[in-house]
Amino acid sequence: MLRHPPARRRQRARSKRMAKPSSSRTPSSKYDVQGIILNFGEALPAAARRRILVRLRAEVPEFAALTTAASTAQPLGKGASDVLVVFPEGKRISIAQTWNAVHALQQHPLVADCEPAVGYTLSPEPSRPATRSSRSGNDPDLPGSAPHDWSTKSVGADRARAQFGVTGAGVRVGHPDTGYTAHPQIAGPRLRIADGYDFVDDDADPRDPMTGMHPGHGTATGSVIFSDRAPDLFGIAPGAELVPLRVSGSVIHFSFGNVVRALYRARDRGCHVVSMSLGGPWAGRSLSRAADRLVAEGMILFAAAGNHTKMVMFPALLDNVIAVAASNADNKPWRGSASGAAVDITAPGESVWRAYAFKKNGALTFDTQRSSGTSYATATTAGVCALWLQRHGTAALRARYGGRLASVFSTVMKAHCRPVPGWKTERYGPGILDAPGLLGAMLPAAGAAAVRNALHAPTRTSAASDWTRLQPYLPELSPKQLATAAMKMYGAGTRRSARSAQTPPPPPSLIDEIAFYVATDPAVREAFLAAGGVGSTTPRTRGRKATAKRASATMTDPRAALRAKASATLRSALADE
């Protein structure tokens, strides 16, 4: 865990009390470059980590230029092989410089893997009119969502609790989000504040300062999981415990380094389930390694598919994380929900009643209102999982299935969900979550083997540099269209492309950087889509054709979109022969 000097911790605590956001580094454009995450292949003691840093600084000039002799390598969690090297305070470091260091470090024999630790800013989600409390869409609430318990009844959680005599008691849910508030819908001993942590300000109080893009989000999603304050609010698992873990002031503007640390914290504090109502379009392999490790130890992880986006977001995109899309009171997909082959299940997410914390005239105010998003679908599914764990006994399930427990839950959940006529199973999973069907289903004799995500592949293998690694970031492109875009991007020179019909992939770390920009820079993404033949327009008149061709020449060349911002290593690789 990253530790700050006492004086700095006191300064951060003062900032938190004053509800002012803090930043430890000078942002580089829209990217907040924080440091580099190194993977040493195994967990190492502090002395060994120090020796490796000394050698890396001596042998990798690109790394030495960004760090100092006082730089440290702090593990992202207990037993983690990933460590964070934080860049010096106030030093302006560009994302291109960071990627250049990553490429160089990837070649060093002491480094098993490497990635930038960087936050990035995305455009905010579309908001409802000012008269509405929800900020997740412009649609009016459906009549069927008027009852406060509609979403609970939609998944049959009320019937499952009555039939099997469960409330989620004894199940602990880790909750990486914006933190907690004193909202009466979540206050009480089952909110395990002492087990939580604030990874933004690095202190033991995970209280939400109500700043950032999504203030009160953690309170809202937490209430859906475990509130027991009916008839005002109907939590799915009103007997479960919740561990608040503050990782950001927004669900789409943060570094996944905080989420990785929160995952390890959730494991160490005895959580059985982790509900992640958050996401972003790019994540390094440290997130995948953390998810793999927790699942191997018998934990079950859920994440939101995403709102108003073409692709399923990370961490939901990881194979070992259950991805949840959103439905509405009419048993139809919420039109703002992300969808795709990565979605495992759909649950109520449009116009869901939740605890609402907001500031009015400077005072923190509490209410219950409706809101929409895959965040609430995720919280609903995590709550149903808590009921299932209590039904069969968490300890007994872990003893029986071990690291296969998450795959057992996923398999049974999908096999006993509620089918809907005309449902697009290839986009939203097999149907809508059904708690009575899930809890009433027989357990399998043995669960499926835990999967390993493709992003976890060692970066020095040839398979890891395959262009298909970009497919999740560009779901609009077919494999053939992606190959066409790759040809134009890395084989567009006439002499190079004439030599071979097959586009040779660049080294693995360059694929990492290309994926990063495709995910976080709209201009690069649009260039890839255009190069693959999606989104381009055909001029209607001959007079406009030549002009349009000249104007689109740069737009349809992904290399041109990358050159202005890419590292020196990638620019060199993209240069024409």
Side-chain angles (χ1 to χ4, degrees):
M1 183 184 304
L2 178 63
R3 294 290 184 185
H4 299 295
R8 184 173 165 194
R9 287 201 296 268
R10 288 194 294 270
Q11 181 181 5
R12 287 179 177 271
R14 286 195 297 270
S15 298
K16 189 172 184 177
R17 288 194 297 270
M18 297 172 66
K20 293 181 179 179
S22 62
S23 177
S24 60
R25 260 155 300 283
T26 304
S28 172
S29 183
K30 70 174 181 178
Y31 300 108
D32 178 16
V33 183
Q34 301 159 3
I36 285 180
I37 294 175
L38 299 173
N39 182 266
F40 293 147
E42 61 179 327
L44 297 174
R49 298 196 303 270
R50 285 194 296 269
R51 287 195 296 270
I52 290 177
L53 283 192
V54 169
R55 183 170 168 186
L56 292 178
R57 281 182 48 79
E59 299 176 2
V60 184
E62 297 88 347
F63 179 66
L66 308 183
T67 58
T68 69
S71 296
T72 60
Q74 298 296 327
L76 294 183
K78 183 178 179 181
S81 58
D82 288 295
V83 301
L84 173 65
V85 180
V86 179
F87 291 152
E89 288 282 338
K91 187 172 184 179
R92 180 175 289 276
I93 297 175
S94 70
I95 185 62
Q97 289 175 294
T98 307
W99 273 111
N100 220 44
V102 166
H103 298 314
L105 288 163
Q106 291 278 31
Q107 305 304 313
H108 199 281
L110 293 179
V111 177
D113 200 1
C114 183
E115 65 195 52
V118 55
Y120 45 89
T121 303
L122 300 178
S123 301
E125 298 170 8
S127 61
R128 289 186 174 185
T131 56
R132 306 289 307 183
S133 62
S134 172
R135 296 184 177 181
S136 295
N138 295 312
D139 298 330
D141 294 315
L142 294 172
S145 69
H148 286 215
D149 60 351
W150 82 264
S151 60
T152 304
K153 289 184 174 180
S154 177
V155 297
D158 55 332
R159 292 185 287 114
R161 291 195 300 261
Q163 180 179 350
F164 298 100
V166 293
T167 62
V171 179
R172 191 170 300 173
V173 181
H175 193 227
D177 212 297
T178 65
Y180 78 97
T181 66
H183 199 298
Q185 292 290 344
I186 65 171
R190 290 182 299 108
L191 181 66
R192 301 183 64 90
I193 299 171
D195 289 319
Y197 200 83
D198 183 342
F199 294 95
V200 179
D201 290 333
D202 190 31
D203 61 48
D205 181 9
R207 198 170 17 137
D208 188 340
M210 298 298 290
T211 59
M213 188 182 295
H214 298 102
H217 189 271
T219 294
T221 53
S223 70
V224 173
I225 296 172
F226 83 130
S227 176
D228 63 351
R229 305 302 167 89
D232 294 326
L233 204 64
F234 295 80
I236 300 295
E241 299 174 340
L242 195 82
V243 176
L245 300 161
R246 183 176 177 240
V247 296
S248 175
S250 164
V251 295
I252 56 172
H253 177 198
F254 59 94
S255 164
F256 272 113
N258 285 344
V259 176
V260 172
R261 288 191 288 267
L263 289 175
Y264 286 115
R265 174 84 176 196
R267 177 204 61 183
D268 296 341
R269 295 296 168 152
C271 293
H272 311 104
V273 176
V274 178
S275 180
M276 294 176 282
S277 292
L278 48 78
W282 180 86
R285 280 176 291 274
S286 60
L287 178 64
S288 178
R289 281 188 285 269
D292 288 350
R293 179 151 189 169
L294 266 62
V295 168
E297 295 181 18
M299 295 178 66
I300 304 176
L301 278 55
F302 301 89
N307 302 343
H308 308 291
T309 176
K310 294 290 186 181
M311 65 174 281
V312 173
M313 297 285 101
F314 289 100
L317 194 57
L318 299 176
D319 289 337
N320 270 331
V321 176
I322 295 173
V324 188
S327 59
N328 61 27
D330 288 342
N331 293 322
K332 296 179 180 178
W334 173 49
R335 71 175 188 173
S337 176
S339 63
V343 169
D344 293 295
I345 197 68
T346 295
E350 180 181 348
S351 300
V352 172
W353 288 89
R354 90 299 191 212
Y356 180 40
F358 61 101
K359 284 189 174 180
K360 184 176 182 180
N361 299 324
L364 189 57
T365 306
F366 301 128
D367 197 358
T368 54
Q369 295 187 11
R370 282 172 282 190
S371 185
S372 300
T374 54
S375 288
Y376 306 110
T378 303
T380 296
T381 309
V384 169
C385 180
L387 300 179
W388 182 79
L389 288 172
Q390 184 191 3
R391 157 88 166 101
H392 297 289
T394 305
L397 287 170
R398 285 186 167 182
R400 180 174 181 178
Y401 296 114
R404 297 175 182 240
L405 179 57
S407 66
V408 167
F409 174 83
S410 180
T411 300
V412 177
M413 174 189 66
K414 292 177 182 179
H416 295 87
C417 66
R418 177 158 55 92
V420 179
W423 191 258
K424 296 180 179 179
T425 57
E426 74 281 2
R427 293 180 58 190
Y428 297 99
I432 295 177
L433 181 66
D434 180 22
L438 170 65
L439 271 65
M442 293 184 60
L443 295 175
V451 296
R452 292 181 64 83
N453 191 276
L455 294 178
H456 198 112
T459 58
R460 293 195 179 98
T461 67
S462 58
S465 63
D466 196 316
W467 283 112
T468 58
R469 287 176 53 206
L470 296 180
Q471 193 75 63
Y473 304 95
L474 298 160
E476 301 94 329
L477 297 182
S478 67
K480 184 176 181 180
Q481 288 172 318
L482 178 59
T484 299
M487 173 68 75
K488 293 181 179 179
M489 203 278 294
Y490 203 68
T494 55
R495 285 173 293 176
R496 183 185 299 176
S497 59
R499 287 198 304 265
S500 173
Q502 300 295 322
T503 305
S509 66
L510 293 186
I511 288 281
D512 290 340
E513 184 178 359
I514 293 168
F516 173 82
Y517 285 117
V518 169
T520 66
D521 192 302
V524 174
R525 190 174 190 280
E526 288 302 318
F528 261 87
L529 292 177
V534 173
S536 59
T537 58
T538 302
R540 295 184 178 181
T541 65
R542 181 175 298 180
R544 295 179 183 174
K545 189 171 183 179
T547 302
K549 184 176 181 179
R550 288 193 301 270
S552 64
T554 300
M555 293 178 58
T556 58
D557 184 358
R559 297 175 305 156
L562 278 168
R563 283 194 191 108
K565 51 185 69 66
S567 66
T569 307
L570 181 54
R571 287 200 306 270
S572 176
L574 298 177
D576 285 334
E577 292 187 350

